[in-house]
Amino acid sequence: MSCKKCPLNIASENFSAKMFEKMPLHAKALFVCRSGQSSSSSLFSARQLCARDLWVLAFIGSGDSFAMEKAGETLDRLVAAGHSELLCHVFENAGYETRRDLWARMVKNYPDRLYMFDALFEKDCLPPADSVEMAENLHIYRHSLLYGRGQANAFVKDF
Protein backbone atom coordinates (compact mmCIF):
# COMPACT_ATOMS: atom_id res chain seq x y z
CA MET A 1 0.00 0.00 0.00
CA SER A 2 1.33 3.39 -0.91
CA CYS A 3 1.17 6.38 1.40
CA LYS A 4 -1.21 8.07 -1.02
CA LYS A 5 -3.83 5.37 -0.37
CA CYS A 6 -3.23 4.78 3.34
CA PRO A 7 -6.17 5.51 5.64
CA LEU A 8 -3.71 6.73 8.31
CA ASN A 9 -2.17 9.39 6.07
CA ILE A 10 -3.90 12.68 6.76
CA ALA A 11 -2.93 13.94 3.28
CA SER A 12 -4.48 10.90 1.60
CA GLU A 13 -7.86 10.92 -0.10
CA ASN A 14 -8.50 7.63 1.76
CA PHE A 15 -7.80 9.09 5.23
CA SER A 16 -10.21 7.50 7.70
CA ALA A 17 -10.88 9.54 10.81
CA LYS A 18 -13.27 6.79 11.89
CA MET A 19 -10.32 4.45 12.58
CA PHE A 20 -9.16 6.82 15.32
CA GLU A 21 -12.43 6.78 17.26
CA LYS A 22 -11.37 3.82 19.38
CA MET A 23 -8.44 5.57 21.05
CA PRO A 24 -8.03 8.46 23.46
CA LEU A 25 -7.46 11.89 22.01
CA HIS A 26 -3.87 12.19 23.27
CA ALA A 27 -2.86 8.94 21.48
CA LYS A 28 -4.34 9.75 18.08
CA ALA A 29 -1.42 11.92 16.99
CA LEU A 30 0.94 8.93 17.28
CA PHE A 31 -0.90 7.08 14.52
CA VAL A 32 -1.55 9.93 12.08
CA CYS A 33 0.87 9.85 9.17
CA ARG A 34 1.80 13.18 7.68
CA SER A 35 3.62 11.81 4.65
CA GLY A 36 3.84 14.38 1.90
CA GLN A 37 3.64 17.31 4.30
CA SER A 38 6.57 19.51 5.28
CA SER A 39 6.58 18.40 8.93
CA SER A 40 7.29 14.71 8.37
CA SER A 41 7.63 12.61 11.48
CA SER A 42 11.24 11.87 12.31
CA LEU A 43 10.06 9.22 14.79
CA PHE A 44 9.05 6.92 11.95
CA SER A 45 11.82 7.78 9.50
CA ALA A 46 14.56 7.30 12.09
CA ARG A 47 13.32 3.79 12.82
CA GLN A 48 12.39 2.95 9.20
CA LEU A 49 8.81 2.40 10.30
CA CYS A 50 5.58 4.13 9.40
CA ALA A 51 2.26 4.80 11.10
CA ARG A 52 0.86 1.55 9.66
CA ASP A 53 3.62 -0.38 11.43
CA LEU A 54 2.83 1.33 14.72
CA TRP A 55 -0.85 0.53 14.18
CA VAL A 56 -0.02 -3.14 13.58
CA LEU A 57 2.19 -3.27 16.68
CA ALA A 58 -0.48 -1.65 18.83
CA PHE A 59 -3.61 -3.40 17.57
CA ILE A 60 -2.57 -6.84 16.27
CA GLY A 61 -3.45 -8.37 19.63
CA SER A 62 -7.00 -7.06 19.58
CA GLY A 63 -7.77 -8.62 16.22
CA ASP A 64 -8.05 -5.29 14.41
CA SER A 65 -8.74 -6.04 10.74
CA PHE A 66 -6.45 -3.29 9.41
CA ALA A 67 -3.60 -4.49 11.66
CA MET A 68 -4.03 -8.09 10.53
CA GLU A 69 -4.22 -7.07 6.88
CA LYS A 70 -1.03 -4.99 7.06
CA ALA A 71 0.95 -7.36 9.30
CA GLY A 72 2.86 -8.84 6.34
CA GLU A 73 4.10 -5.45 5.18
CA THR A 74 5.09 -4.63 8.74
CA LEU A 75 6.98 -7.92 8.96
CA ASP A 76 8.93 -6.96 5.85
CA ARG A 77 9.93 -3.59 7.31
CA LEU A 78 10.79 -5.02 10.72
CA VAL A 79 13.04 -7.65 9.15
CA ALA A 80 14.68 -5.11 6.83
CA ALA A 81 15.37 -2.75 9.73
CA GLY A 82 16.53 -5.54 12.07
CA HIS A 83 13.86 -4.95 14.73
CA SER A 84 13.79 -8.46 16.18
CA GLU A 85 12.15 -7.39 19.44
CA LEU A 86 9.25 -5.81 17.56
CA LEU A 87 8.97 -8.80 15.25
CA CYS A 88 8.71 -11.06 18.29
CA HIS A 89 6.04 -8.71 19.70
CA VAL A 90 3.95 -9.15 16.56
CA PHE A 91 4.20 -12.94 16.79
CA GLU A 92 3.43 -13.03 20.50
CA ASN A 93 0.30 -10.94 20.07
CA ALA A 94 -1.13 -12.00 16.72
CA GLY A 95 -3.82 -14.63 16.42
CA TYR A 96 -3.06 -18.09 15.12
CA GLU A 97 -4.10 -17.44 11.50
CA THR A 98 -1.99 -14.30 11.28
CA ARG A 99 1.01 -16.01 12.90
CA ARG A 100 0.70 -18.87 10.43
CA ASP A 101 0.66 -16.50 7.46
CA LEU A 102 3.56 -14.49 8.85
CA TRP A 103 5.64 -17.62 9.52
CA ALA A 104 5.07 -18.79 5.94
CA ARG A 105 6.12 -15.36 4.66
CA MET A 106 9.19 -15.33 6.88
CA VAL A 107 10.34 -18.82 5.85
CA LYS A 108 9.76 -18.09 2.17
CA ASN A 109 11.26 -14.58 1.99
CA TYR A 110 13.77 -14.47 4.85
CA PRO A 111 14.98 -17.99 5.73
CA ASP A 112 18.38 -16.58 6.64
CA ARG A 113 16.84 -14.17 9.18
CA LEU A 114 14.99 -16.69 11.36
CA TYR A 115 17.50 -15.91 14.10
CA MET A 116 15.40 -12.81 14.75
CA PHE A 117 13.06 -15.13 16.70
CA ASP A 118 15.78 -16.45 18.99
CA ALA A 119 14.28 -14.64 22.00
CA LEU A 120 11.02 -16.55 21.49
CA PHE A 121 12.81 -19.83 20.81
CA GLU A 122 14.83 -19.39 23.98
CA LYS A 123 11.60 -19.17 25.99
CA ASP A 124 10.84 -22.69 24.75
CA CYS A 125 14.37 -23.88 25.53
CA LEU A 126 15.10 -24.29 21.82
CA PRO A 127 18.60 -23.80 20.42
CA PRO A 128 19.31 -20.62 18.40
CA ALA A 129 17.93 -20.48 14.87
CA ASP A 130 21.29 -20.76 13.17
CA SER A 131 22.03 -24.13 14.71
CA VAL A 132 22.01 -27.51 13.00
CA GLU A 133 19.09 -28.53 15.22
CA MET A 134 16.87 -25.95 13.56
CA ALA A 135 17.56 -27.26 10.08
CA GLU A 136 16.62 -30.75 11.23
CA ASN A 137 13.62 -29.64 13.31
CA LEU A 138 12.09 -26.65 11.51
CA HIS A 139 8.63 -28.00 12.33
CA ILE A 140 9.39 -27.71 16.06
CA TYR A 141 10.33 -24.05 15.72
CA ARG A 142 7.19 -23.46 13.68
CA HIS A 143 5.13 -25.16 16.39
CA SER A 144 6.77 -22.96 19.01
CA LEU A 145 5.73 -19.77 17.20
CA LEU A 146 2.26 -20.91 16.20
CA TYR A 147 1.03 -22.58 19.36
CA GLY A 148 2.78 -20.78 22.14
CA ARG A 149 5.06 -21.61 24.97
CA GLY A 150 5.98 -24.75 26.80
CA GLN A 151 5.06 -27.48 24.34
CA ALA A 152 7.67 -27.28 21.60
CA ASN A 153 10.64 -28.36 23.68
CA ALA A 154 8.96 -31.70 24.38
CA PHE A 155 9.60 -32.58 20.73
CA VAL A 156 13.31 -31.83 20.73
CA LYS A 157 15.56 -34.81 21.42
CA ASP A 158 17.87 -34.49 24.39
CA PHE A 159 21.23 -32.99 23.56
Side-chain angles (χ1 to χ4, degrees):
M1 170 183 284
S2 70
C3 292
K4 294 178 183 177
K5 295 181 181 179
C6 182
L8 300 176
N9 184 352
I10 200 162
S12 167
E13 61 190 33
N14 295 331
F15 179 72
S16 175
K18 191 170 188 90
M19 289 179 68
F20 297 92
E21 290 176 356
K22 63 175 152 185
M23 63 187 71
L25 183 61
H26 65 277
K28 292 179 184 183
L30 294 172
F31 298 96
V32 174
C33 174
R34 301 186 188 288
S35 180
Q37 294 183 356
S38 59
S39 62
S40 65
S41 174
S42 61
L43 169 68
F44 299 125
S45 61
R47 297 287 185 201
Q48 299 174 342
L49 300 176
C50 74
R52 284 188 309 255
D53 301 325
L54 185 57
W55 189 277
V56 169
L57 290 164
F59 296 109
I60 192 82
S62 66
D64 179 78
S65 60
F66 184 73
M68 292 185 314
E69 178 186 333
K70 299 303 172 193
E73 294 172 26
T74 295
L75 177 135
D76 294 338
R77 277 189 290 280
L78 293 175
V79 170
H83 295 299
S84 62
E85 67 286 346
L86 296 177
L87 186 63
C88 290
H89 171 82
V90 169
F91 270 81
E92 286 181 313
N93 290 286
Y96 170 78
E97 297 289 327
T98 304
R99 283 194 313 271
R100 187 188 66 203
D101 294 343
L102 293 175
W103 173 257
R105 186 178 189 129
M106 188 75 182
V107 170
K108 178 183 175 193
N109 298 335
Y110 312 104
D112 58 330
R113 307 286 309 265
L114 293 176
Y115 66 85
M116 295 180 78
F117 294 118
D118 279 352
L120 294 179
F121 297 148
E122 185 178 316
K123 288 180 183 179
D124 272 346
C125 300
L126 294 170
D130 61 351
S131 69
V132 175
E133 287 84 11
M134 182 175 195
E136 296 172 357
N137 298 303
L138 189 60
H139 64 285
I140 296 170
Y141 289 84
R142 178 181 182 265
H143 185 275
S144 171
L145 289 178
L146 295 184
Y147 297 106
R149 312 292 153 242
Q151 298 176 7
N153 60 355
F155 298 113
V156 178
K157 56 187 171 208
D158 292 334
F159 299 102

